[in-house]
Amino acid sequence: MSAWHGVLEELIRQRRSALVGYAYLLAGDRPLAEDLVHDAIIRTFSRARRLENVGAAEGYVRRAILTLFLNNRRSRSRALAKQHLLVVPDVAPPDDAAGDHDVVVCALNGLAPRQRACVVLRYFEDLSTAETAERLGLSEGSVKRYVHDAMVHMRGELGDIDPGPEPTPQSVVLVKGGAR
Amino acid sequence: MSAELRRLLAEVAERESERFARTHPDDDVLLYERAVAPRRALRRTAQASGVAAVAASVALGFVAADAVVTDRRDATPAASPSGTSLTPTGTGWTELPEDSAADAWRVSGRPLDAFFVPEGPDEAVLVGADVTGDALTTCQVLDAFARFQMLADAAEAPLPEAPLSSQRLGGFHGLGDVGVYEAEFTRRAGAAAYLALMVEAAQMCRQAVGGAAVVNVEEDVAFSAVAGGGMRVDISRDGTDPWRLWVHVQQGRMLTVIAEPGGADEVAPVITSYFTAWDR
């Protein structure tokens, strides 16, 4: 059995749920988040690259989730092709932990995809501005601009959230090679 | 504070993670493996045959010899094989009612079942020959190519050209069931390149299986009475009673015929009847 089998098994059993949580922050929608994780896992492991440990694999999957989210590449054919893989509960489970979290999700849902991605990368993944820019294929100035605009919105929704030092708004510049 | 935003985001993600774990107790590992394995093999195959695909128009004589390849309507008509009759409807074979015995495409007296799908080499032969793991997956790719599956993945793999259209025509029930698939490519070179890819996949299957089963790959297979050419693959446990895949290309049209053990002899009549009597 190839090494990727073991890594895939470990990733599915130990990290898939966390990946869904990450995707949910980006997508703000449960079915979409699960679709993103599903597609990202298959996409990552279908590539011929060597996947020798679950940490590296998870990194690739997270990048794939981000790329898929920003590209919004879900098509009907893709959705149909993977239906057999998904176990859809007959009844939606009660969302017993609503409340403040829903407020956060609503605030995130008011952001544009790139703004949302910047917020998630900066404040959930704890990436630096430079790292976020590299991940998204943006200039650092663009990331600062997106974060600034996003935080203006988040403050309006959540109140006294302080993202730290105020980034300086700059014009948005795309950088070739990032997730788009 | 940024710490507060980090905490809120972490809590949302954690709550969603726990919800997912609670509502998805099955890990689905096997299902993911089944989805991933053929795609990995597809990519390996496509990458390995990248050069071969480009050179296909030179390597395959029937494609290079344009003067020999004529339009399907110009091909010398041949008498249908014994027991074979074909009644074109002009509406496409998949629209035929399953039980329209009077109008159905018949081979050896058996009508086309528009909804039939035969087994691949894995189920038909290889599992019984104790072929498992990557070897089994590699051979499954050949079957997937024959059925024109995974075309969505073709866009991400260095495949030369995906078919313009493809469809499962159906199959013939018999001692060994036979399935029929057709595809139309924009260009004849596209069909030739796809055929070259299938040849490569067959060779990879043969190498992967090793001595656990017998895989015979014949290239440049043609019929005297039917224009075009193609390839034939036989996969068996001991060289007899094979699972057979026969691919025939004429212009930009490709026909793939899959026969389970017991049905190999029916493949050639299916191809010749399709290309000699079929017309829209």
Side-chain angles (χ1 to χ4, degrees):
Chain A
M1 180 173 285
S2 301
W4 69 266
H5 284 94
V7 176
L8 174 64
E9 181 174 346
E10 189 175 352
L11 179 89
I12 297 291
R13 291 187 171 151
Q14 297 181 9
R15 302 300 304 160
R16 184 169 61 152
S17 295
L19 288 167
V20 170
Y22 168 69
Y24 183 70
L25 287 179
L26 287 169
D29 174 87
R30 285 172 178 165
L32 177 56
E34 293 176 13
D35 284 356
L36 288 171
V37 172
H38 171 275
D39 287 353
I41 290 173
I42 290 181
R43 180 186 174 122
T44 299
F45 280 84
S46 295
R47 301 297 174 89
R49 65 165 64 95
R50 299 172 70 86
L51 293 169
E52 295 180 334
N53 66 77
V54 71
E58 183 176 355
Y60 283 124
V61 173
R62 284 186 181 240
R63 284 175 179 261
I65 289 171
L66 181 64
T67 300
L68 290 168
F69 166 68
L70 291 174
N71 286 351
N72 193 24
R73 291 177 59 188
R74 288 191 315 144
S75 65
R76 178 170 172 75
S77 62
R78 279 174 176 267
L80 291 174
K82 61 173 174 40
Q83 274 186 341
H84 66 287
L85 285 172
L86 295 177
V87 179
V88 180
D90 293 335
V91 178
D95 198 359
D96 51 9
D100 291 345
H101 295 161
D102 283 348
V103 176
V104 176
V105 173
C106 286
L108 287 170
N109 283 344
L111 299 176
R114 286 184 189 278
Q115 292 175 335
R116 189 169 182 139
C118 284
V119 168
V120 171
L121 293 181
R122 288 283 285 113
Y123 296 105
F124 179 72
E125 294 248 62
D126 270 338
L127 299 185
S128 68
T129 299
E131 290 167 333
T132 301
E134 187 275 332
R135 185 74 62 87
L136 293 172
L138 301 169
S139 69
E140 290 187 38
S142 298
V143 170
K144 290 177 181 176
R145 175 74 183 191
Y146 281 129
V147 170
H148 171 270
D149 292 348
M151 296 317 300
V152 169
H153 170 81
M154 297 290 281
R155 274 195 209 93
E157 296 290 322
L158 299 176
D160 58 351
I161 291 293
D162 181 356
E166 185 78 9
T168 303
Q170 300 187 26
S171 60
V172 175
V173 179
L174 291 175
V175 175
K176 188 175 181 180
R180 279 188 286 270
Chain B
M1 293 172 49
S2 57
E4 177 68 1
L5 180 57
R6 286 187 172 87
R7 183 186 65 78
L8 288 171
L9 293 176
E11 285 181 358
V12 169
E14 179 64 20
R15 183 188 56 150
E16 204 56 29
S17 173
E18 291 174 352
R19 181 203 62 80
F20 181 82
R22 196 168 56 245
T23 56
H24 293 72
D26 298 327
D27 56 31
D28 302 333
V29 171
L30 187 58
L31 295 174
Y32 273 99
E33 286 181 348
R34 286 177 179 167
V36 167
R39 287 168 170 81
R40 289 181 66 88
L42 168 67
R43 294 186 64 83
R44 283 202 309 272
T45 304
Q47 289 165 354
S49 64
V51 175
V54 171
S57 60
V58 177
L60 300 173
F62 75 92
V63 172
D66 280 357
V68 175
V69 179
T70 58
D71 185 84
R72 172 165 41 82
R73 293 174 179 79
D74 298 330
T76 303
S80 297
S82 176
T84 300
S85 65
L86 179 64
T87 306
T89 65
T91 58
W93 296 108
T94 52
E95 297 176 15
L96 284 174
E98 190 176 12
D99 59 353
S100 63
D103 296 329
W105 174 13
R106 290 179 174 273
V107 174
S108 300
R110 288 188 285 271
L112 180 72
D113 177 346
F115 305 102
F116 175 69
V117 180
E119 289 184 340
D122 50 332
E123 295 294 331
V125 176
L126 295 176
V127 171
D130 291 332
V131 175
T132 59
D134 287 347
L136 191 66
T137 300
T138 300
C139 293
Q140 286 173 330
V141 168
L142 176 63
D143 187 61
F145 276 136
R147 299 168 197 260
F148 304 105
Q149 295 173 336
M150 299 196 298
L151 294 181
D153 299 274
E156 295 185 3
L159 295 182
E161 180 178 312
L164 186 63
S165 64
S166 61
Q167 62 181 333
R168 170 171 52 83
L169 295 182
F172 299 92
H173 286 294
L175 186 60
D177 292 330
V178 178
V180 190
Y181 303 79
E182 70 171 3
E184 187 81 45
F185 289 79
T186 307
R187 300 168 299 144
R188 125 184 5 196
Y194 194 89
L195 175 62
L197 201 58
M198 295 181 73
V199 170
E200 183 71 25
Q203 299 289 9
M204 291 183 71
C205 170
R206 182 176 59 78
Q207 294 169 8
V209 166
V214 179
V215 180
N216 288 323
V217 183
E218 292 183 72
E219 302 178 45
D220 299 330
V221 179
F223 296 92
S224 60
V226 177
M231 57 94 78
R232 181 173 60 206
V233 183
D234 284 353
I235 302 177
S236 63
R237 295 179 67 169
D238 57 5
T240 62
D241 198 17
W243 175 91
R244 171 169 290 179
L245 164 63
W246 198 323
V247 186
H248 192 86
V249 176
Q250 191 178 94
Q251 301 282 23
R253 180 175 296 273
M254 174 178 285
L255 189 76
T256 64
V257 184
I258 296 170
E260 296 171 2
D265 291 343
E266 301 299 327
V267 176
V270 169
I271 294 173
T272 54
S273 66
Y274 174 91
F275 282 104
T276 55
W278 180 85
D279 203 348
R280 291 179 189 267

